[in-house]
Amino acid sequence: MIKRALISVSDKTGIVDVARELEEMGVEIISTGGTKKTLEEEGIKVISVEDVTGFPECLNGRVKTLHPGVMAGLLAKRDNEEHMQHLFDLSIEPIDMIIVNLYPFKNTILREGCTFEEAIENIDIGGPTMLRAAAKNFQDVAVVIDPSDYDVVLGELREKGEVSYDTKLNLAKKVFMSTSYYDTLIASYLREQVGDDSYPETLTLCYDKAQDLRYGENPHQDAVFYKEVRPMKGSLPLSKQLHGKELSYNNINDTNGALEILKEYSDEPTIVAVKHANPCGIASDASIAVAFKKCYEADPQSIFGGIIASNEEIDEETALQISNIFIEVVVAPSYTDEALKILTKKKNIRILQLDDIKHNQEGKDIKKVMGGLLMQARDTKLLSDELKVVTKRQPTNKEMQDLIFSWKAVKHTKSNAISIAKDKILVANGPGQVSRIWALENAVKQGGESVKGAVLASDAFFPFDDCVKAAYEAGITAIIQPGGSIRDEDSIKACNEYGIAMVFTGVRHFKHS
């Protein structure tokens, strides 16, 4: 039986109707502050918490419910004679239900211009304490934190006169999930405030469900997309879908890969095409339409069914080109009206608009493994402080531009990786091979005649000179790689024999997943 209920909510959605129905059922209602005022204004009889505790609110409302009159009333086990005798001796009555939700800390810190003092004042103390106490004693106390549970609880009270054990257990579970999230959010905020970027001994993370997905990588796998509470500017969770089907698991993964690559090319208009999280086309040009044309022509086969990312507005000319092929997703900072009219004629294409698409920042990458997590700093470094030309022949200015272009591409290609570029176009890519020479051979085979006169990037050093020989035979004129092999001299010597310029970056960019 629910005889007494304590109601104290920041989110007052539906609370008047709930309290009125409880009152009609004969439930005595206790309340505090703004909630009490709201209920009384609607003609609902309310007992003040002060009347229960015999102690006034103090410290501008910071202390209201932290009192044995409330806490003992929640924690006393009804089937424990000693507990109930204690309540009797102390003149404390049990509280059978609480409806409590917390100060809006999340909404406060997300508000533009939020000060540190405002954030701190929106850390709830009494609310989580009451919720955790009631949830611990769930078999005797129904604890409601989520307004979406009001109908379930009221329905059982109408039908059975009580809330079932299973429902109370589920409500308690939700409380501990919610208070854990709340505390983690506060801890994360405070870590940001003090600039703590360390790897703590214990790790708690806050993510909000963005959407349920139809399935995961394959139809037999279920999947969900979660987003950070405060996602990085220019990241996928902040995009706005303008048209098309719901994003799938693979769409999200591949589009994120496209955005990661695109951020490397922030200095000029660039189109990135991605297939299975690997770049299958990249081109830069003064015109985004020309960039798309070059990107497409470099590999018109792999781009089919892929992801397109642009760091400039999609115009009519670019949209016409995109509309001629099957593309899963297009993401750009904006679209002209004419471009949208063209693209939206295709029913299923997902069209995303993303502000700050060029923005990039440091942070952490996380990968789930069986039984644990791997965490590392995001790979935001491109080059070492100084490039080192290690061959007799210096690369030309044009070759150096293409070397940097290809280095950006190989950084985001799965290892072992080889990227080949010419005229600021990715003309061939060799991702994910267990042997570096295989990656090179695959790239050369893919690129065909376009490889001649191009430059080559390798994500890691050459352990042998076989890659240099294969590059020469394909017509490669310059190579960029990290260097650092004990057999670097073999590769350097081969380059000098073939007249190939070679540049060491001093930075390795393995990408294993």
Side-chain angles (χ1 to χ4, degrees), residues 210-211 225 227 231-243 247 251-252 255-256 259 263 329-335 350-357:
Q211 67 184 91
F225 179 36
K227 64 179 181 179
M232 182 182 85
K233 287 196 302 182
S235 63
L236 185 58
L238 296 178
S239 66
K240 179 181 180 183
Q241 185 164 351
L242 305 179
H243 176 77
L247 290 168
N251 290 156
I252 291 168
T255 303
N256 178 71
L259 291 172
K263 292 179 189 303
V329 180
V330 180
V331 56
S334 59
Y335 302 80
R350 289 94 164 169
I351 302 174
L352 306 180
Q353 181 177 328
L354 179 58
D355 297 334
D356 303 306
I357 201 166

Side-chain angles (χ1 to χ4, degrees), residues 204-225:
T204 52
L205 302 170
C206 274
Y207 287 84
D208 294 331
K209 184 189 283 188
Q211 67 184 91
D212 292 303
L213 303 173
R214 285 187 299 160
Y215 53 81
E217 283 183 287
N218 300 289
H220 62 274
Q221 297 171 267
D222 55 12
V224 170
F225 179 36

Side-chain angles (χ1 to χ4, degrees), residues 120-376:
I120 295 301
E121 283 307 311
N122 275 277
I123 297 176
D124 203 326
I125 302 300
T129 304
M130 286 192 294
L131 286 165
R132 287 169 60 84
K136 177 176 180 176
N137 199 27
F138 73 90
Q139 69 275 9
D140 294 319
V141 182
V143 52
V144 186
I145 191 172
D146 186 350
S148 69
D149 291 317
Y150 292 166
D151 287 344
V152 173
V153 171
L154 290 175
E156 290 193 6
L157 287 173
R158 288 188 215 105
E159 183 179 345
K160 306 172 185 176
E162 62 180 3
V163 182
S164 69
Y165 178 92
D166 287 344
T167 296
K168 287 190 288 189
L169 178 57
N170 274 310
L171 293 171
K173 173 207 71 178
K174 184 174 284 191
V175 162
F176 284 109
M177 289 177 66
S178 298
T179 56
S180 173
Y181 175 95
Y182 193 79
D183 286 341
T184 299
L185 190 59
I186 294 167
S188 298
Y189 173 79
L190 293 177
R191 288 189 70 196
E192 290 177 11
Q193 296 306 301
V194 300
D196 181 1
D197 196 35
S198 65
Y199 298 93
E201 291 300 313
T202 58
L203 178 67
T204 52
L205 302 170
C206 274
Y207 287 84
D208 294 331
K209 184 189 283 188
Q211 67 184 91
D212 292 303
L213 303 173
R214 285 187 299 160
Y215 53 81
E217 283 183 287
N218 300 289
H220 62 274
Q221 297 171 267
D222 55 12
V224 170
F225 179 36
Y226 287 97
K227 64 179 181 179
E228 293 176 343
V229 175
R230 294 198 285 183
M232 182 182 85
K233 287 196 302 182
S235 63
L236 185 58
L238 296 178
S239 66
K240 179 181 180 183
Q241 185 164 351
L242 305 179
H243 176 77
K245 294 194 300 185
E246 188 177 84
L247 290 168
S248 71
Y249 182 100
N250 291 329
N251 290 156
I252 291 168
N253 187 55
D254 290 352
T255 303
N256 178 71
L259 291 172
E260 291 272 18
I261 301 165
L262 190 68
K263 292 179 189 303
E264 302 287 354
Y265 298 88
S266 60
D267 52 345
E268 55 187 323
T270 300
I271 290 287
V272 169
V274 162
K275 194 75 168 289
H276 303 305
N278 282 302
C280 62
I282 307 173
S284 298
D285 195 273
S287 159
I288 204 68
V290 175
F292 182 87
K293 184 174 185 293
K294 291 179 176 179
C295 175
Y296 170 74
E297 289 177 347
D299 188 354
Q301 183 174 2
S302 297
I303 199 173
F304 184 86
I307 310 293
I308 297 296
S310 169
N311 62 7
E312 298 288 343
E313 182 174 72
I314 299 292
D315 56 18
E316 181 178 9
E317 185 180 354
T318 310
L320 283 169
Q321 295 181 74
I322 295 172
S323 68
N324 288 328
I325 55 177
F326 169 53
I327 294 295
E328 289 274 5
V329 180
V330 180
V331 56
S334 59
Y335 302 80
T336 66
D337 291 341
E338 294 79 9
L340 281 177
K341 286 178 184 176
I342 293 165
L343 293 175
T344 54
K345 288 179 182 178
K346 305 191 82 169
K347 180 180 178 181
N348 293 328
I349 188 172
R350 289 94 164 169
I351 302 174
L352 306 180
Q353 181 177 328
L354 179 58
D355 297 334
D356 303 306
I357 201 166
K358 297 180 182 181
H359 178 83
N360 203 7
Q361 70 185 52
E362 295 181 353
K364 295 290 191 290
D365 274 335
I366 298 173
K367 176 181 172 58
K368 182 73 177 74
V369 297
M370 286 192 293
L373 286 174
L374 288 170
M375 179 181 285
Q376 65 176 350

Side-chain angles (χ1 to χ4, degrees), residues 53-181:
T53 64
F55 201 90
E57 292 185 13
C58 61
L59 306 181
N60 300 119
R62 279 191 165 198
V63 179
K64 296 188 286 284
T65 57
L66 297 176
H67 188 279
V70 173
M71 303 309 296
L74 293 172
L75 283 165
K77 297 176 70 173
R78 309 309 194 254
D79 61 355
N80 185 307
E81 292 184 6
E82 186 177 0
H83 283 196
M84 300 311 291
Q85 185 62 48
H86 281 164
L87 292 189
F88 179 80
D89 293 341
L90 296 169
S91 300
I92 295 173
E93 293 186 51
I95 298 173
D96 308 307
M97 171 187 284
I98 66 167
I99 302 175
V100 172
N101 51 59
L102 306 176
Y103 293 171
F105 182 81
K106 175 181 171 182
N107 291 340
T108 299
I109 62 172
L110 291 178
R111 191 178 66 240
E112 188 174 351
C114 169
T115 66
F116 181 71
E117 290 73 20
E118 287 173 324
I120 295 301
E121 283 307 311
N122 275 277
I123 297 176
D124 203 326
I125 302 300
T129 304
M130 286 192 294
L131 286 165
R132 287 169 60 84
K136 177 176 180 176
N137 199 27
F138 73 90
Q139 69 275 9
D140 294 319
V141 182
V143 52
V144 186
I145 191 172
D146 186 350
S148 69
D149 291 317
Y150 292 166
D151 287 344
V152 173
V153 171
L154 290 175
E156 290 193 6
L157 287 173
R158 288 188 215 105
E159 183 179 345
K160 306 172 185 176
E162 62 180 3
V163 182
S164 69
Y165 178 92
D166 287 344
T167 296
K168 287 190 288 189
L169 178 57
N170 274 310
L171 293 171
K173 173 207 71 178
K174 184 174 284 191
V175 162
F176 284 109
M177 289 177 66
S178 298
T179 56
S180 173
Y181 175 95

